[in-house]
Amino acid sequence: MNAWLHWEFPAGESHTLELANEITIIGRGRDCEIPLLDERISRQHCEIYFDGEAHFVSDLGSFNGTYLNGKILGDSRPLEDGDQLQIGPVRLLFELAAAPEADPRSTLVVPESRLRAYLEIPGGTRIELQKEINIIGRNQGWDVCLPDRAVSRPHAEIERREDEFVLRDLGSANGTLLNAARIKAPHALKDGDALIFGAETIIFRLEPV
């Protein structure tokens, strides 16, 4: 089963994260998979883990508790599509969808697209941005994995909106730089843009299909 978390900060900035790891930690700590920088949230507040069949949420002894569908969480509980978690001032929506049986095109962009996007990694590697949302971070399993301690576990994402690609920081500890300037809001990318994550400089490329 494919699963996602969607959340929005009080300022209105929204995020989506695919739960690709066996365990996803949510908390105030900057090394959490989902860092929520609010003093009402514990450093390691709760976790979502996959037992091979279902996703469960478990509070990690947080000071203010974790709420599932408006009720404080006691023991670990399985998550169902549409469940809502409340962690401090942040509300997260759990989305669950069955993976297609044998259709690798399910993660690709729509075929009507006229552009193809790549990231050029130092060393000559090119990574094609095939998904609607491509996660960049330190964790194995992300669409772009950068093994640099200065890179947060989920650091940034590039979202495809038809033929537009939008870069968004995911609350990373060291920030995301676009052409040497730190971004504070989502930015549309153009061919040749330089993206900096930690010590890594990556070039964004657009090509006609």
Side-chain angles (χ1 to χ4, degrees):
M1 301 290 283
N2 295 337
W4 294 265
L5 279 180
H6 308 276
W7 70 97
E8 185 173 291
F9 290 111
E13 185 178 355
S14 59
H15 297 280
T16 294
L17 176 68
E18 183 175 2
L19 299 176
N21 296 338
E22 183 178 343
I23 298 176
T24 300
I25 305 294
I26 305 170
R28 196 175 78 247
R30 294 183 181 273
D31 59 346
C32 294
E33 282 75 22
I34 299 180
L36 304 176
L37 306 182
D38 188 283
E39 289 300 320
R40 289 163 287 185
I41 297 174
S42 298
R43 293 186 182 277
Q44 290 194 335
H45 197 101
C46 68
E47 68 178 15
I48 295 175
Y49 63 91
F50 184 62
D51 71 350
E53 295 183 358
H55 288 83
F56 289 77
V57 59
S58 178
D59 188 80
L60 296 176
S62 66
F63 185 78
N64 290 313
T66 300
Y67 290 79
L68 174 62
N69 298 324
K71 297 181 179 180
I72 193 162
L73 188 68
D75 297 331
S76 298
R77 296 289 301 276
L79 290 170
E80 299 180 357
D81 184 46
D83 278 348
Q84 292 190 19
L85 296 172
Q86 185 78 34
I87 301 171
V90 182
R91 181 172 296 174
L92 302 96
L93 174 67
F94 178 77
E95 180 186 2
L96 190 65
E101 292 184 359
D103 185 7
R105 296 171 297 174
S106 62
T107 58
L108 300 182
V109 296
V110 292
E112 291 81 5
S113 175
R114 297 166 295 170
L115 295 174
R116 180 178 292 132
Y118 297 88
L119 293 180
E120 293 183 349
I121 311 295
T125 302
R126 299 184 90 200
I127 299 176
E128 184 175 358
L129 302 177
Q130 295 180 322
K131 297 181 180 179
E132 181 180 353
I133 295 178
N134 301 268
I135 304 294
I136 302 164
R138 196 171 75 241
N139 273 16
Q140 293 289 338
W142 293 139
D143 304 290
V144 182
C145 177
L146 302 175
D148 179 346
R149 295 296 299 177
V151 175
S152 298
R153 295 188 179 185
H155 194 106
E157 69 180 22
I158 297 176
E159 178 184 0
R160 179 158 204 163
R161 302 173 182 174
E162 296 183 353
D163 278 335
E164 183 180 56
F165 292 82
V166 177
L167 175 67
R168 179 184 291 108
D169 187 80
L170 296 179
S172 64
N174 295 310
T176 298
L177 279 68
L178 174 61
N179 299 323
R182 184 166 181 165
I183 65 171
K184 296 183 179 179
H187 277 262
L189 296 172
K190 62 182 184 297
D191 182 52
D193 277 343
L195 286 56
I196 301 176
F197 311 101
E200 302 285 348
T201 300
I202 297 173
I203 305 301
F204 176 78
R205 293 295 184 194
L206 272 180
E207 298 178 355
V209 174

